[in-house]
């Protein structure tokens, strides 16, 4: 069986070399190239389609999570493992929505990378199977992680933010193509203006919503909130 080809996209040459040396210790993988910018990575992807890409987030010319769509266009069969120091909510959310294979935080150990690579390797081998899949094999591809989910999801939210109310806010904003003010939102979902404003500002901090200022003829500009599609 031929080795799995890997492209490393990392702006720090020393870190990219660490990734390469780590992979050399794991049987079955070959690093084909290292790219230090998004543009350089796309140039490489014009020439070959690696089965695996190790991708940093903070590149000189583009965010790694914003590069993923371009990677998928050029090399739709590539799997992506993000290796980054980025912990910002909107970056993690984007990575999750774009079906990133794994997300490893820097600094990391060889064992952490080895575990992630080996899990990918086993899934890769499973998907080469042309026979019918057993339940066990399917469950390995889509593991059940219920034990890691808090019994009460509310515990994941900050004080003063209720899960049910937040879902009402998101659902309402999703129907408002022209956005909504805090006052209008409050009237429509049955909360005070200040409460509506608190939820809207929380969604903005989580990069799930954004603000546009509307300037009228008199008074302060109106803050209208829009949900990201």
């Amino acid at each position: 069986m031929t080795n799995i080809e890997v492209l490393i996209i990392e702006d720090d040459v020393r870190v990219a070399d660490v990734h390469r040396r780590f992979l050399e210790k794991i049987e079955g993988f070959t690093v084909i190239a290292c790219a230090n910018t998004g543009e350089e990575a796309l140039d490489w992807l014009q020439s070959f389609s690696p089965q695996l890409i190790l991708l940093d987030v903070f590149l000189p010319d583009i965010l790694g999570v914003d590069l993923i769509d371009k990677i998928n266009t050029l090399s739709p069969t590539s799997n992506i493992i993000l290796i980054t120091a980025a912990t910002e909510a909107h970056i993690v959310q984007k990575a999750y929505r774009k079906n990133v294979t794994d997300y490893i935080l820097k600094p990391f150990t060889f064992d952490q990378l080895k575990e992630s690579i080996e899990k990918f390797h086993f899934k890769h081998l499973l998907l080469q199977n042309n026979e019918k899949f057993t339940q066990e094999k399917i469950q390995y591809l889509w593991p059940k992680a219920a034990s890691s989910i808090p019994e009460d999801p509310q515990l994941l939210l900050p004080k003063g933010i209720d899960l049910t109310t937040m879902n009402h806010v998101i659902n309402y904003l999703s129907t408002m193509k022209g956005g909504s003010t805090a006052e209008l939102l409050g009237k429509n979902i049955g909360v005070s203006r200040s409460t509506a404003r608190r939820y809207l500002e929380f969604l903005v901090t989580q990069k799930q919503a954004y603000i546009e200022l509307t300037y009228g003829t008199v008074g302060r500009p109106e803050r209208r909130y829009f949900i990201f599609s």
Side-chain angles (χ1 to χ4, degrees):
M1 182 175 294
T2 58
N3 279 3
I4 291 173
E5 295 182 339
V6 183
L7 171 64
I8 296 171
I9 307 175
E10 165 65 57
D11 69 314
D12 189 319
V13 176
R14 294 169 299 177
V15 175
D17 188 57
V18 170
H19 293 349
R20 180 185 58 76
R21 286 188 283 110
F22 271 13
L23 283 167
E24 286 175 351
K25 297 179 182 179
I26 304 174
E27 186 178 355
F29 292 82
T30 300
V31 176
I32 300 299
C34 294
N36 303 127
T37 66
E39 183 178 2
E40 187 179 348
L42 296 177
D43 285 342
W44 277 110
L45 291 173
Q46 300 281 354
S47 304
F48 78 106
S49 294
Q51 288 94 348
L52 180 62
I53 294 173
L54 302 187
L55 175 62
D56 188 20
V57 167
F58 298 117
L59 299 170
D61 52 347
I62 190 173
L63 281 178
V65 286
D66 294 332
L67 185 65
I68 293 174
D69 288 338
K70 297 180 180 181
I71 291 173
N72 289 338
T73 298
L74 289 172
S75 184
T77 59
S78 293
N79 293 267
I80 298 171
I81 294 177
L82 276 177
I83 303 180
T84 177
T87 57
E88 292 84 351
H90 69 285
I91 290 177
V92 177
Q93 290 161 0
K94 274 189 178 182
Y96 183 80
R97 290 167 185 155
K98 292 176 186 291
N99 295 319
V100 167
T101 301
D102 203 355
Y103 198 110
I104 301 175
L105 282 178
K106 298 176 182 176
F108 60 92
T109 64
F110 171 71
D111 286 339
Q112 286 176 295
L113 179 59
K114 185 172 185 287
E115 180 183 6
S116 179
I117 293 293
E118 287 179 344
K119 283 182 178 179
F120 158 75
H121 195 186
F122 189 64
K123 289 182 179 181
H124 176 78
L125 293 175
L126 278 181
L127 290 169
Q128 309 310 304
N129 180 20
N130 291 321
E131 300 175 358
K132 289 185 178 181
F133 278 71
T134 63
Q135 177 61 43
E136 289 76 18
K137 290 180 179 179
I138 290 173
Q139 192 163 320
Y140 190 88
L141 292 171
W142 288 282
K144 306 296 184 291
S147 60
S148 63
I149 300 174
E151 291 184 9
D152 183 5
Q154 180 65 42
L155 296 174
L156 299 176
L157 298 173
K159 186 177 180 180
I161 300 294
D162 174 75
L163 183 62
T164 301
T165 305
M166 187 175 70
N167 285 334
H168 284 319
V169 172
I170 293 172
N171 290 336
Y172 175 76
L173 277 184
S174 298
T175 66
M176 300 297 290
K177 293 184 178 180
S180 176
T181 63
E183 183 177 6
L184 183 59
L185 171 67
K187 287 179 179 178
N188 280 278
I189 68 170
V191 300
S192 68
R193 180 180 179 278
S194 60
T195 296
R197 176 76 173 269
R198 181 168 69 248
Y199 280 86
L200 289 167
E201 292 294 336
F202 173 72
L203 290 175
V204 171
T205 65
Q206 298 302 300
K207 307 298 183 183
Q208 291 181 262
Y210 62 96
I211 300 169
E212 287 187 2
L213 297 179
T214 303
Y215 293 88
T217 54
V218 293
R220 294 181 178 180
E222 184 179 66
R223 293 166 70 88
R224 297 192 73 84
Y225 296 82
F226 297 80
I227 199 79
F228 278 113
S229 58

